[in-house]
Amino acid sequence: MLYFAYGSNMLLKRLKDRVPSASRTAVGYICGHRLTFDKRSIDGSGKCDAQATSDSKDKVYGVVYEIDPVEKATLDRVEGLGHGYAEKVVEVNCGTTIRPVCMYYATSKDLSLRPYHWYKAYVLAGARENSLPLEYIKMIERFPSVQDPDARRSKMHRL
């Protein structure tokens, strides 16, 4: 199964902790979407969404991973399929090829939410690890984030 990660799961170690079979196959982008941090999370923060837009110039960069189909149910659970995320197939531009890939997108959004500092750090680490374009990384850096009120959770997720 091919999976397009554009949030914290771009970081290979984080994804492999969740689905050990994950193997990076390409870096690419989808058009007609923009990155937001307004997916309502159960921890009270904003998580990433690749929000569909009507502008073909909008792009969300990410990583295409191959995952053993046996682990799809685990990925669905950790992504919150049916609980704030749905899935669809998108066309990922991988440079020389366009590949149909499964992606999760937010169905429960709140524009007032901000990501916790640790979550944004995961997204940035994944973007850097996969050498996403510098301007895209700078755009992620500019997103406002907030301190997690749960110090234990914050410490657990510290990179």
Side-chain angles (χ1 to χ4, degrees), residues 90-124:
V90 292
E91 299 291 318
V92 180
N93 185 322
C94 300
T96 59
T97 61
I98 305 250
R99 302 173 80 176
V101 179
C102 178
M103 176 190 89
Y104 297 90
Y105 65 95
T107 58
S108 178
K109 295 170 66 88
D110 180 341
L111 295 175
S112 70
L113 294 175
R114 299 291 176 259
Y116 291 143
H117 297 318
W118 59 260
Y119 178 81
K120 181 178 163 184
Y122 279 137
V123 178
L124 280 167

Side-chain angles (χ1 to χ4, degrees), residues 1-158:
M1 169 207 159
L2 295 178
Y3 160 61
F4 182 65
Y6 56 87
S8 65
N9 280 344
M10 287 191 293
L11 188 61
L12 183 59
K13 181 187 179 333
R14 180 166 171 82
L15 183 59
K16 285 185 89 58
D17 285 347
R18 296 168 162 194
V19 284
S21 70
S23 172
R24 182 179 23 240
T25 65
V27 173
Y29 61 87
I30 56 174
C31 292
H33 292 76
R34 69 181 174 91
L35 184 69
T36 63
F37 283 84
D38 58 358
K39 187 266 181 189
R40 186 186 324 262
S41 175
I42 59 172
D43 67 14
S45 70
K47 300 292 192 264
C48 284
D49 182 32
Q51 180 176 315
T53 69
S54 58
D55 189 342
S56 62
K57 294 178 192 162
D58 290 335
K59 293 179 184 175
V60 172
Y61 286 85
V63 183
V64 177
Y65 287 103
E66 186 168 355
I67 294 173
D68 186 325
V70 171
E71 293 180 333
K72 171 79 164 67
T74 301
L75 185 61
D76 288 347
R77 183 178 45 75
V78 298
E79 284 289 352
L81 183 63
H83 303 282
Y85 276 120
E87 65 182 329
K88 65 182 177 180
V89 173
V90 292
E91 299 291 318
V92 180
N93 185 322
C94 300
T96 59
T97 61
I98 305 250
R99 302 173 80 176
V101 179
C102 178
M103 176 190 89
Y104 297 90
Y105 65 95
T107 58
S108 178
K109 295 170 66 88
D110 180 341
L111 295 175
S112 70
L113 294 175
R114 299 291 176 259
Y116 291 143
H117 297 318
W118 59 260
Y119 178 81
K120 181 178 163 184
Y122 279 137
V123 178
L124 280 167
R128 291 178 181 129
E129 175 181 85
N130 290 287
S131 301
L132 298 189
L134 183 57
E135 283 306 310
Y136 193 78
I137 292 171
K138 287 180 179 181
M139 183 261 309
I140 296 170
E141 289 173 342
R142 288 190 297 269
F143 272 101
S145 58
V146 296
Q147 183 63 43
D148 187 340
D150 184 332
R152 194 178 115 232
R153 179 176 53 219
S154 183
K155 184 178 180 182
M156 179 179 74
H157 287 291
R158 191 170 299 137

